[in-house]
Amino acid sequence: TTSPTWTVRTPASTDLVDDTFTRNVSNGWGAANAANAWVTRSTSSSYSVDGTKGRISTPIAAGRGATLTGLSSADVRITSDVAMSQVATGSGAYVAIMGRVQSGNSYRAKLSFAAGGGLSLTLVRFATTETNLLKANLAGITATAGLPLRVKLEVEGSSPTTLRAKAWRADATEP
């Protein structure tokens, strides 16, 4: 008798990059893989990787940012976990996940941390100036120091461009 032969195929990954930050880097974020290095804005000492996460240290009233090289895709789904090391005070703080970045223009999912722990998510189109397209308060979640939140931004099509964004606790099921 002969045994049947089975062919098992795994679907090709649609991830352009999956950076799990399993490296140690000071003064930057290094490279996600052989083809995609992180380029940081501002002082490189504001960025580090500790083997499990990338960190950005931002002074009050300042901005920081990091982008990956070697990527080009019109339709994207970007998912990122973010956490603040301390609760926002004063006018608050925000983190923006950017998609379809071209010549300084972009679409963004802007997660805002208000003083007292309130959270909101805004879809933004940035073309010379920022235009808020849609904003929602995140009910049922209070931002605390170190609480990881998962943010997803989807950008699809052109004329019209469809945008989707959502945010939730990283330890919970995606809504």
Side-chain angles (χ1 to χ4, degrees), residues 15-119:
D15 290 343
L16 292 173
V17 176
D18 181 12
D19 193 350
T20 56
F21 294 99
T22 54
R23 59 191 175 279
N24 290 296
V25 180
S26 57
N27 295 320
W29 273 5
N33 56 42
N36 306 107
W38 286 100
V39 175
T40 56
R41 289 191 339 216
S42 72
T43 309
S44 63
S45 61
S46 295
Y47 305 85
S48 63
V49 179
D50 69 4
T52 61
K53 59 182 114 356
R55 296 181 184 269
I56 302 174
S57 176
T58 307
I60 293 173
R64 299 287 185 263
T67 56
L68 277 170
T69 60
L71 296 175
S72 178
S73 182
D75 296 342
V76 295
R77 179 184 310 120
I78 304 163
T79 305
S80 183
D81 289 354
V82 299
M84 302 291 277
S85 61
Q86 56 191 16
V87 176
T89 59
S91 59
Y94 73 89
V95 174
I97 308 301
M98 300 189 306
R100 203 178 282 169
V101 179
Q102 297 172 324
S103 304
N105 300 328
S106 63
Y107 292 106
R108 303 172 181 191
K110 185 175 177 180
L111 180 62
S112 298
F113 297 78
L119 293 165

Side-chain angles (χ1 to χ4, degrees), residues 126-146:
F126 189 88
T128 309
T129 60
E130 187 173 286
T131 302
N132 293 334
L133 304 172
L134 184 66
K135 181 177 180 177
N137 292 321
L138 301 181
I141 306 173
T142 300
T144 57

